[in-house]
Every structure is written in structure tokens, then in C-alpha cells.
Amino acid sequence: MSFITDRDQAKKIFDDAAAKDVSVALFCTGSFWNTEAILIAASDFAEKHGIEKIPVVVAMTCLYSHMQQAKRITYSQNEHVGFRANFEYLRLLCEGPDAPYKNVAVMTHLDHADPVRDRWALEENLDILTSVMFDGQAYPYEENTAMTTEYIRRYGADVLVEGIIEELAAPGTEGKKSDDYVEKAVDFIGRTGVDFLVADLGTEQQATGTDAKYLGGRARALTEALGRKMLVLHGVSSMKNEDIKGLAADGVVRVNMWTRIVRESGQYAAAKLLERKALIERGDFEAAEATAYINDNIEEAARVMEMIMGGLGYGNLAKAQ
């Protein structure tokens, strides 16, 4: 299968990748064209490196306060339609007799799901989800722990669950810093039983620059204290390319990225659009039609994501085949 929603099958994929020092790419999307760009990047990487089935996670937020991707994906801004439509579209692209990206093992993810605001997404879409981020970072620690534990009790057999213990840095916020972060993480994992921990490792979500200081020491301390590789890193758009390499060795099993990809592919497509300005003004159909801009966007987004996958150690997946 290429469209994987079985939690145990997905867990094995993550464990195998971690054993080979690969951090699995979790690329978010807020448009149908970016969804396909993710598959293009993974498929092209697999073909170039001789990987029979390459894993990648395609993720969306629903009503996350900082970015509502499910609303962005259709002009109607109906989050229910956008959320379901994107993942059904994704299934068609990777699975079935006519699927163009059968060599990609696609796992789906609901990102930054608030326990209250995103109840619909968390509870009524398990048929199309491999994992969820149960995002209780805005709630007091004890309340967050209790809500996360209850969600896993009810749905943990159906999906892999990411948990989070403290507020991450995002536009307009500095996040929450704690001196006893590692101890708190050990307590949280022991009480909730989450599959992954979204760790504060110094990065900033939706960053516009690359000035973040990745806290590798904290990642290694967390991994040692937790006894296994289970960290998820958000805010990778704020990191330099060279800092992305080697994350798996620190215990980072999933890497979440979107902002940089959208920004750079949009800038590239806009520059190409300006090159067609004279043709557009003359009424040339192919130059003016929106597909030209979208395809430029897709191609650049795929190029950036393929480069990121190389930095995450994806080449190691070819060694055992």
C-alpha cells in the first residue's frame, strides 16, 4: 500500500527509518499543488537513489490559530471540505491503478490540533489519518496531560499521537521556557503514553529568517532520558541547511516543515511570472493562464523539499536494498 493509515504499519516505518539515522520528512500543505509537489520530491528522490518505497508524511492544520491550512485549500474556506478533499486527492495520487506516485509510502497527519477547537478533525477523520498532533500547549501542564491521556485512551489504538508539553515560539510569541524541561518531558511521556514528543529545540515556527539556534544538546538529553528516539522538530524553516543534517542521531524522528518551502517557491514563481509580463499583456493564453504560475511553484517547491530530504539522511534508505 502507498496510502498508509494503519498505526502499526506506520510505526514500523518510523522505527526502521530511525534505525538507519533518517528523520522522516513531515511536509505541511495548504494547497493542492503543494500536496503534489511533496509527492514529486519524494518520488524523484526515490528514483535517483534506488529506493523502492520512500516514506513521507503529508500534514495539514485545521483551525490552528497561527495557520489554518484546511481553510486555505479551497476558495470557500470550508475547513471540513478542504481537510477531507486534500487527503482524498492525496490518496488518488499515490494509490490505485492510475496513481503517478506509487513509489511513495504516504502517511497523513493532522497538525496542531487543539483539543477543543479541532475536536471534529481529531475525532471524525481517523479513517484518513495516520497520526495527529494533540496540541495542548495553550493549556496548563496538568490539564494538557490529562486531556492528552484521555485522547490516547479513546483513540490511541487508531492513530499515532504526538504530544507537546510547552508553548513553542511562533509569530508574536516567544514560547515558554522551563528549567526542568527534560524532567517534565519524562513525566509527560510516562503519564500519557504518546508516540512522539514535539520538542522545543530552539527553533521558531513560521520563521522569516534562519537565525534559530538548534539545541542539539537538549535533543540528546531528552532522547537519553526518554530511552528511545521519539522527538518531532517544528520550525525547521528557521534553520540553516547545514544544521538540518544529523538530526536523526539526536533522536529527531520527524521533521516538520512548510513556511520556507512556500516562501521560496512563491518567490521563484513570481519571478517567472514577471518574465512572462510582455506575453501576458499581449494576451498569450499559456503565459496568462494560472497553470503556468502553479507549475513553476510546484517545481521549485519539489526541488527544495528533495534537497531537504537529502539533508535528513534519506540516502540511507537505499543502503539495505
Side-chain angles (χ1 to χ4, degrees):
M1 292 182 64
S2 293
F3 189 83
I4 298 167
T5 56
D6 180 84
R7 78 174 310 280
D8 293 331
Q9 185 180 0
K11 185 66 165 60
K12 184 179 185 305
I13 290 172
F14 287 113
D15 289 344
D16 289 347
K20 296 172 183 174
D21 282 334
V22 178
S23 297
V24 175
L26 188 157
F27 293 126
C28 292
T29 183
S31 65
F32 290 118
W33 52 90
N34 193 71
T35 296
E36 186 167 7
I38 296 169
L39 300 187
I40 292 170
S43 180
D44 286 354
F45 194 99
E47 290 179 1
K48 291 173 184 176
H49 294 82
I51 302 170
E52 183 178 350
K53 206 77 160 179
I54 188 166
V56 70
V57 182
V58 179
M60 288 188 77
T61 60
C62 196
L63 296 179
Y64 177 45
S65 57
H66 292 294
M67 179 58 65
Q68 299 179 348
Q69 289 163 334
K71 282 191 170 185
R72 297 175 68 91
I73 206 160
T74 67
Y75 185 81
S76 70
Q77 295 195 331
N78 183 307
E79 69 271 16
H80 291 200
V81 172
F83 192 79
R84 296 288 306 188
N86 179 61
F87 288 127
E88 293 298 342
Y89 172 64
L90 180 63
R91 188 198 300 269
L92 289 171
L93 287 171
C94 69
E95 194 166 275
D98 299 316
Y101 308 108
K102 295 179 183 178
N103 61 339
V104 185
V106 179
M107 294 167 284
T108 60
H109 178 70
L110 166 62
D111 204 26
H112 283 292
D114 182 273
V116 178
R117 190 167 55 246
D118 285 311
R119 185 175 299 277
W120 170 83
L122 280 165
E123 297 183 1
E124 298 186 33
N125 294 277
L126 301 183
D127 60 316
I128 57 170
L129 288 172
T130 315
S131 62
V132 304
M133 178 186 175
F134 191 87
D135 190 352
Q137 64 179 297
Y139 299 84
Y141 176 74
E142 288 298 330
E143 187 177 356
N144 175 16
T145 301
M147 289 190 296
T148 305
T149 301
E150 176 61 15
Y151 183 80
I152 290 175
R153 185 190 70 79
R154 296 178 63 190
Y155 302 110
D158 300 314
V159 287
L160 295 167
V161 180
E162 289 182 6
I164 185 169
I165 59 175
E166 288 187 352
E167 184 181 12
L168 299 175
T173 71
E174 296 182 357
K176 182 180 179 181
K177 308 303 178 186
S178 176
D179 292 334
D180 61 345
Y181 188 82
V182 174
E183 292 80 3
K184 188 179 289 186
V186 172
D187 176 71
F188 181 78
I189 300 301
R191 291 166 63 183
T192 62
V194 295
D195 299 286
F196 306 107
L197 176 68
V198 179
D200 180 359
L201 299 179
T203 56
E204 179 183 342
Q205 301 177 103
Q206 299 175 34
T208 57
T210 54
D211 299 324
K213 302 297 183 184
Y214 167 66
L215 303 178
R218 173 181 277 189
R220 292 186 289 275
L222 279 167
T223 299
E224 182 178 1
L226 296 171
R228 61 189 174 98
K229 295 181 177 181
M230 62 180 300
L231 305 182
V232 179
L233 179 60
H234 284 232
V236 181
S237 293
S238 67
M239 296 175 65
K240 296 180 175 66
N241 287 340
E242 57 267 28
D243 294 332
I244 294 173
K245 299 177 181 179
L247 292 173
D250 293 343
V252 178
V253 296
R254 308 211 313 185
V255 171
N256 186 313
M257 192 171 186
W258 184 61
T259 304
R260 174 186 167 187
I261 297 160
V262 172
R263 182 175 60 242
E264 292 185 4
S265 61
Q267 290 170 333
Y268 175 85
K272 299 292 284 186
L273 180 66
L274 290 175
E275 291 176 9
R276 298 191 297 273
K277 183 175 183 291
L279 288 173
I280 293 169
E281 289 174 344
R282 289 202 299 268
D284 181 88
F285 178 83
E286 295 298 340
E289 209 267 334
T291 301
Y293 176 85
I294 292 170
N295 285 346
D296 287 336
N297 198 306
I298 288 172
E299 290 166 8
E300 180 64 8
R303 186 195 66 80
V304 174
M305 286 187 278
E306 187 176 347
M307 179 186 66
I308 295 299
M309 294 175 81
L312 295 177
Y314 265 72
N316 296 341
L317 296 175
K319 293 180 180 179
Q321 297 187 23

